[in-house]
Amino acid sequence: MAIRLGDPAPDFEAKTTDGPVRFHDWIGSGWAILFSHPKDFTPVCTTELGAVAKLKSEFQKRNVKVIGLSVDKVEDHTKWAKDIEETQGAKLNFPLIDDHDRKVSGLYDMIHPNASETLTVRSVFVIGPDKKVKLTITYPASTGRNFDEILRVIDSLQLTAKYQVATPVNWKDGEDVIIVPAVSNEEAKGKFPKGWKELKPYLRVTPQPNRN
Ligand code: BEZ
């Protein structure tokens, strides 16, 4: 069944390149990203896994754990990791799930049969500390994902969770944000001491709260 925003992220047990994982326990109390790869030893995935490994400190800064999945065995993942290091200049530094039986890809609806009966699409799930799904993205197998965009969305999600703000079009960390309509002007006075610009009663712009 399709997974929608706000749904509980299905829990599972799986073998990974870092040993067995029970997903919810592995997430712990922070945020997580689960992302799928159509198959081992494929070119686009090789570049993506190298890029994500290089972003490790960015994910750590945001308290986000990352886990990948590919529909092959852990023995193949381990061999593939050598190619990733050799060609991308980065060692795989997060677990890659062995999903040769398609158990997890089935749970997360990562196989779209009209695209391919056997390979996963490129899915991304961002999961919050409450184990609920906060973001889903689906790319075709032929298009590598933009992990700077995924970091940008995580920044937005974390701001919303903490400060009751939303982020406007093309927003980047450090830029002005929008006070959510559920917050009245009276409440906003306490929550946003830097004030706000009211372009319309429903469009109130304020400096990013966690910046000087
Ligand atoms: C790739 O990762 O390069 C890939 C996988 C499946 C289809 C096309 C490209």
Side-chain angles (χ1 to χ4, degrees):
M1 207 176 74
I3 295 186
R4 296 178 177 173
L5 300 191
D7 287 355
D11 198 12
F12 57 83
E13 286 181 50
K15 268 171 89 173
T16 80
T17 47
D18 291 358
V21 155
R22 182 186 275 274
F23 190 47
H24 283 193
D25 292 348
W26 175 84
I27 294 175
S29 56
W31 293 69
I33 296 178
L34 166 65
F35 66 121
S36 61
H37 294 279
K39 190 149 186 59
D40 287 10
F41 303 105
T42 49
V44 176
C45 301
T46 303
T47 63
E48 288 188 328
L49 289 167
V52 173
K54 288 179 191 163
L55 288 173
K56 184 164 183 126
S57 62
E58 293 298 321
F59 292 115
Q60 279 177 331
K61 252 195 320 212
R62 293 163 174 83
N63 194 23
V64 179
K65 290 172 95 176
V66 174
I67 193 163
L69 170 152
S70 181
V71 292
D72 285 302
K73 294 198 167 181
V74 85
E75 294 77 19
D76 295 314
H77 294 354
T78 307
K79 285 186 203 142
W80 187 24
K82 294 198 181 95
D83 292 356
I84 292 163
E85 187 170 0
E86 182 190 322
T87 62
Q88 308 303 308
K91 210 178 167 71
L92 194 68
N93 52 19
F94 53 89
L96 198 52
I97 295 168
D98 171 334
D99 198 41
H100 75 278
D101 56 4
R102 276 57 168 179
K103 191 177 89 184
V104 181
S105 31
L107 267 180
Y108 278 81
D109 195 31
M110 291 166 167
I111 295 187
H112 297 192
N114 290 327
S116 165
E117 291 279 356
T118 52
L119 308 180
T120 70
V121 291
R122 290 185 198 283
S123 302
V124 182
F125 295 90
V126 174
I127 296 156
D130 58 1
K131 312 290 185 296
K132 298 224 169 110
V133 174
K134 307 296 179 189
L135 169 82
T136 66
I137 303 181
T138 306
Y139 273 44
S142 51
T143 305
R145 287 157 284 201
N146 181 336
F147 285 90
D148 291 332
E149 168 62 4
I150 291 164
L151 284 171
R152 190 189 76 90
V153 181
I154 287 169
D155 286 338
S156 171
L157 287 166
Q158 293 187 340
L159 271 180
T160 303
K162 197 158 177 192
Y163 298 104
Q164 285 191 289
V165 293
T167 55
V169 59
N170 295 336
W171 171 86
K172 287 194 289 306
D173 191 34
E175 295 178 354
D176 287 353
V177 298
I178 291 169
I179 301 171
V180 298
V183 175
S184 68
N185 278 349
E186 210 40 49
E187 280 176 278
K189 281 182 200 154
K191 285 180 186 288
F192 304 102
K194 292 175 198 156
W196 63 89
K197 217 177 344 178
E198 186 167 305
L199 304 173
K200 289 282 173 195
Y202 58 83
L203 178 51
R204 296 165 296 171
V205 179
T206 189
Q208 186 172 318
N210 58 350
R211 290 299 166 95
N212 295 326

